[in-house]
């Protein structure tokens, strides 16, 4: 299952010409998931040549404006475009109340909406699951992991050699069951292999905490906020954010493979190299993506 991430918005509290408010779009199999929905997200979809009509779920990390001000406009556009699926919105405690409040102001959104307040593992499908973990940001906040499960695959060359026809027998072998074919016993484990799953973790606004390391454990990709530099320690206490070095520490401690730093402040836009250097002291494979950058894996 190919997985693609598009960074729709990588900015912080104030959007700039270069960086939009937060939005991360994850496409994997039939799932099209938006993580946070900052102001300006609709135009970012357009620029990235993505169709928001394909959205299946929205995950909200927390209800600060820079992560959620795009929701009303997006839902109204989906209604105008006759979005016919059921859009599922997930977030921390208080999410239902926020959506209701928007409906009080703007009228009911004319699409099928389901809203969930989540903690722990809250989606468990055949091919993937999604879990959340509480962060520390002064208001209810979640980090999320999207986990593609390990999959048993059959070795095509061996199937061909044994001349096993395309039949329910293959399904049995894939499900780990041994079969008998033309009088010969064939063991599932002899002709199958495990394709390892993948994990993507998204950790946005938070103070450093152990839950962040836990939820990121063994990720292929960690997307993490880096609002401050290490020499701005006083500010992280006041605003409850991470430094780039702390983001790198999460990636390192969780034994993850790649780190992408987002939520880049306008104050650092001219010295992004410093952010990168702050993180790279601890974790080498660190990148600061630009808006509309895509990664595939
Ligand atoms: Zn933020
Ligand atoms: Zn915030």
């Amino acid at each position: 299952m190919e997985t693609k991430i598009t960074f729709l918005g990588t900015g912080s509290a104030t959007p700039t010409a270069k960086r939009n408010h937060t939005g991360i779009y994850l496409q994997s199999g039939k799932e099209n998931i938006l993580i946070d929905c900052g102001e300006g997200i609709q135009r970012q979809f357009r620029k990235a040549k993505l169709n928001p009509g394909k959205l299946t779920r929205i995950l909200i990390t927390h209800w600060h404006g820079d992560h959620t001000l795009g929701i009303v406009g997006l839902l109204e556009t989906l209604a105008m475009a006759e979005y016919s699926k059921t859009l599922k919105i997930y977030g921390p405690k208080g999410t239902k109340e926020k959506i209701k409040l928007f409906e009080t102001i703007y009228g009911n959104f004319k699409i099928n909406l389901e809203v969930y307040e989540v903690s722990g593992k809250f989606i468990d499908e055949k091919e993937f699951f999604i879990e959340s973990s509480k962060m520390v940001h002064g208001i209810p906040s979640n980090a999320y992991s999207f986990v593609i499960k390990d999959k048993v695959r059959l070795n095509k060359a061996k199937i061909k050699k044994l001349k096993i026809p395309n039949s329910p027998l293959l399904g049995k072998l894939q499900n780990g069951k041994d079969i008998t074919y033309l009088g010969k016993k064939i063991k599932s484990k002899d002709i199958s292999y495990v394709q390892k799953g993948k994990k993507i973790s998204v950790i946005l606004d938070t103070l450093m905490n152990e839950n962040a390391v836990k939820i990121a454990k063994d990720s292929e990709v960690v997307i993490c906020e880096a609002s401050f530099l290490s020499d701005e320690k006083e500010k992280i206490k006041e605003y409850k954010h991470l430094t780039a070095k702390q983001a790198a520490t999460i990636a390192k401690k969780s034994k993850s493979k790649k780190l992408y730093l987002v939520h880049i402040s306008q104050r650092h836009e001219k010295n992004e190299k410093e952010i990168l250097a702050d993180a790279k002291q601890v974790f080498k494979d660190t990148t600061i993506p630009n808006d509309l950058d895509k990664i595939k894996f």
Side-chain angles (χ1 to χ4, degrees):
M1 196 152 76
E2 189 188 63
T3 302
K4 197 174 4 171
I5 288 169
T6 308
F7 294 94
L8 291 177
T10 57
S12 177
T14 308
T16 64
K18 191 179 168 195
R19 296 188 186 275
N20 199 78
H21 270 171
T22 301
I24 294 156
Y25 195 58
L26 189 155
Q27 295 165 278
S28 186
K30 290 181 185 141
E31 292 293 330
N32 296 294
I33 301 172
L34 177 64
I35 301 155
D36 281 350
C37 187
E39 176 189 340
I41 207 79
Q42 297 197 69
R43 293 195 68 221
Q44 297 300 94
F45 266 101
R46 294 270 159 152
K47 288 181 195 166
K49 298 193 169 48
L50 291 167
N51 176 5
K54 292 194 170 158
L55 265 176
T56 52
R57 309 176 200 263
I58 298 177
L59 311 184
I60 298 295
T61 61
H62 67 296
W63 283 91
H64 276 159
D66 55 326
H67 298 253
T68 53
L69 283 168
I71 284 189
V72 172
L74 179 63
L75 296 185
E76 289 190 342
T77 298
L78 290 178
M80 279 192 286
E82 294 176 3
Y83 179 85
S84 58
K85 294 188 275 279
T86 296
L87 183 62
K88 294 174 178 169
I89 300 181
Y90 309 82
K93 198 168 175 289
T95 295
K96 286 183 180 174
E97 188 194 319
K98 291 288 193 295
I99 298 289
K100 253 194 212 133
L101 207 59
F102 284 145
E103 291 194 316
T104 311
I105 302 169
Y106 298 101
N108 285 358
F109 297 112
K110 293 183 185 70
I111 60 171
N112 293 323
L113 268 189
E114 286 177 12
V115 184
Y116 302 92
E117 295 176 357
V118 296
S119 64
K121 189 189 280 188
F122 59 95
I123 295 169
D124 195 1
E125 301 276 338
K126 192 170 167 237
E127 293 188 317
F128 71 93
F129 66 87
I130 307 180
E131 59 183 345
S132 70
S133 185
K134 278 200 179 93
M135 296 293 106
V136 185
H137 189 50
I139 60 167
S141 300
N142 282 342
Y144 295 102
S145 274
F146 180 85
V147 184
I148 299 166
K149 296 177 181 176
D150 292 350
K151 197 172 179 184
V152 176
R153 293 218 172 253
L154 297 176
N155 184 321
K156 281 186 188 151
K158 287 185 182 169
I159 300 275
K160 211 173 162 190
K161 208 174 161 199
L162 291 164
K163 299 194 175 75
I164 305 168
N166 197 354
S167 63
L169 289 173
L170 295 182
K172 279 188 183 168
L173 287 166
Q174 194 159 19
N175 287 327
K177 293 195 180 101
D178 300 339
I179 60 161
T180 304
Y181 181 62
L182 300 175
K184 207 170 158 190
K185 186 155 188 182
I186 299 164
K187 285 186 179 170
S188 169
K189 71 172 171 49
D190 292 340
I191 60 160
S192 63
Y193 63 98
V194 175
Q195 189 181 64
K196 279 297 280 174
K198 286 175 226 160
K199 179 173 179 179
I200 300 109
S201 299
V202 179
I203 298 163
L204 295 176
D205 304 11
T206 185
L207 277 171
M208 186 65 176
N209 70 91
E210 272 310 303
N211 279 353
V213 177
K214 275 188 206 149
I215 195 159
K217 193 168 181 351
D218 296 323
S219 294
E220 187 80 21
V221 166
V222 178
I223 298 167
C224 193
E225 72 128 319
S227 306
F228 292 97
L229 286 163
S230 289
D231 61 13
E232 298 173 299
K233 278 255 159 59
E234 285 313 304
K235 287 200 181 128
I236 60 169
K237 275 185 218 142
E238 187 182 348
Y239 298 106
K240 299 187 173 63
H241 279 287
L242 294 170
T243 65
K245 193 175 174 183
Q246 286 174 326
T249 305
I250 291 169
K252 189 180 179 192
K253 279 193 172 175
S254 63
K255 298 194 165 52
S256 295
K257 289 194 184 143
K258 282 184 172 20
L259 173 65
Y260 290 85
L261 299 176
V262 296
H263 208 267
I264 305 301
S265 165
Q266 61 169 349
R267 289 172 296 106
H268 296 136
E269 224 168 61
K270 287 197 173 68
N271 52 8
E272 286 176 5
K273 277 187 187 147
E274 287 179 27
I275 294 184
L276 208 52
D278 199 43
K280 283 191 173 183
Q281 288 174 55
V282 173
F283 192 82
K284 286 265 170 321
D285 203 341
T286 304
T287 308
I288 302 178
N290 288 314
D291 279 15
L292 311 181
D293 279 359
K294 288 177 199 269
I295 51 172
K296 279 184 201 169
F297 48 93

